[in-house]
Amino acid sequence: MACSHGKDILVGAIDVASDAVETAEEVAAVVADEVAKHVPKERIQLCTNCGMAPMRRELAYAKLKALVEGAALARQRHA
Protein backbone atom coordinates (compact mmCIF):
# COMPACT_ATOMS: atom_id res chain seq x y z
CA MET A 1 0.00 0.00 0.00
CA ALA A 2 1.52 3.33 -1.01
CA CYS A 3 0.27 6.82 -0.32
CA SER A 4 0.53 9.52 -2.94
CA HIS A 5 1.65 12.84 -1.55
CA GLY A 6 -1.30 15.08 -0.72
CA LYS A 7 -3.96 12.38 -0.99
CA ASP A 8 -6.31 11.33 1.78
CA ILE A 9 -7.07 7.64 2.17
CA LEU A 10 -10.60 6.44 3.01
CA VAL A 11 -10.58 3.22 5.00
CA GLY A 12 -13.68 1.04 5.28
CA ALA A 13 -13.91 0.35 9.01
CA ILE A 14 -17.63 -0.51 9.08
CA ASP A 15 -18.88 -3.68 7.36
CA VAL A 16 -22.24 -2.94 5.78
CA ALA A 17 -22.75 -6.58 4.76
CA SER A 18 -23.12 -7.58 8.41
CA ASP A 19 -25.79 -6.75 10.98
CA ALA A 20 -23.17 -6.91 13.73
CA VAL A 21 -22.47 -3.44 15.12
CA GLU A 22 -18.77 -2.79 15.45
CA THR A 23 -17.33 -1.45 18.70
CA ALA A 24 -15.28 1.73 18.89
CA GLU A 25 -12.30 -0.52 19.71
CA GLU A 26 -12.78 -2.54 16.53
CA VAL A 27 -13.04 0.59 14.40
CA ALA A 28 -9.93 2.13 15.96
CA ALA A 29 -8.04 -1.16 15.52
CA VAL A 30 -8.42 -0.90 11.74
CA VAL A 31 -6.10 2.11 11.83
CA ALA A 32 -3.64 0.61 14.29
CA ASP A 33 -3.42 -2.83 12.73
CA GLU A 34 -2.57 -1.99 9.14
CA VAL A 35 -3.29 1.45 7.79
CA ALA A 36 -1.05 3.55 10.06
CA LYS A 37 1.92 1.40 9.02
CA HIS A 38 1.62 2.66 5.46
CA VAL A 39 -0.26 5.96 5.47
CA PRO A 40 0.51 9.18 7.39
CA LYS A 41 -2.07 9.48 10.17
CA GLU A 42 -3.20 12.93 9.02
CA ARG A 43 -4.23 11.37 5.68
CA ILE A 44 -6.47 8.62 7.12
CA GLN A 45 -10.26 8.98 7.11
CA LEU A 46 -12.48 6.19 8.39
CA CYS A 47 -15.70 5.34 6.55
CA THR A 48 -18.04 2.46 5.75
CA ASN A 49 -16.92 -0.17 3.24
CA CYS A 50 -19.92 0.53 0.99
CA GLY A 51 -23.33 2.23 1.00
CA MET A 52 -25.89 1.78 3.77
CA ALA A 53 -29.09 2.36 1.79
CA PRO A 54 -30.56 -1.17 2.10
CA MET A 55 -29.84 -1.32 5.84
CA ARG A 56 -32.46 -0.80 8.55
CA ARG A 57 -32.27 2.77 9.81
CA GLU A 58 -31.62 1.90 13.48
CA LEU A 59 -28.80 -0.46 12.47
CA ALA A 60 -27.25 2.15 10.18
CA TYR A 61 -27.34 4.75 12.98
CA ALA A 62 -25.73 2.29 15.43
CA LYS A 63 -22.95 1.53 12.95
CA LEU A 64 -22.38 5.23 12.23
CA LYS A 65 -22.22 5.92 15.98
CA ALA A 66 -19.54 3.22 16.28
CA LEU A 67 -17.68 4.82 13.37
CA VAL A 68 -17.67 8.23 15.08
CA GLU A 69 -16.61 6.80 18.44
CA GLY A 70 -13.93 4.63 16.85
CA ALA A 71 -12.52 7.53 14.83
CA ALA A 72 -12.33 9.63 18.00
CA LEU A 73 -10.55 6.80 19.79
CA ALA A 74 -8.10 6.39 16.91
CA ARG A 75 -7.37 10.14 16.97
CA GLN A 76 -6.61 9.96 20.70
CA ARG A 77 -4.27 7.02 20.23
CA HIS A 78 -2.49 8.22 17.10
CA ALA A 79 -2.50 12.00 17.44
Side-chain angles (χ1 to χ4, degrees), residues 1 8-14 27 30-31 34-36 39 43-49 67:
M1 184 184 314
D8 290 340
I9 304 299
L10 297 171
V11 179
I14 297 292
V27 172
V30 170
V31 174
E34 289 301 321
V35 182
V39 178
R43 296 288 179 200
I44 300 170
Q45 294 184 27
L46 297 177
C47 63
T48 63
N49 65 0
L67 179 62

Side-chain angles (χ1 to χ4, degrees), residues 23-35 46 70 73-74 77-78:
T23 65
E25 281 289 332
E26 291 169 329
V27 172
V30 170
V31 174
D33 290 345
E34 289 301 321
V35 182
L46 297 177
L73 184 58
R77 291 180 178 169
H78 303 288

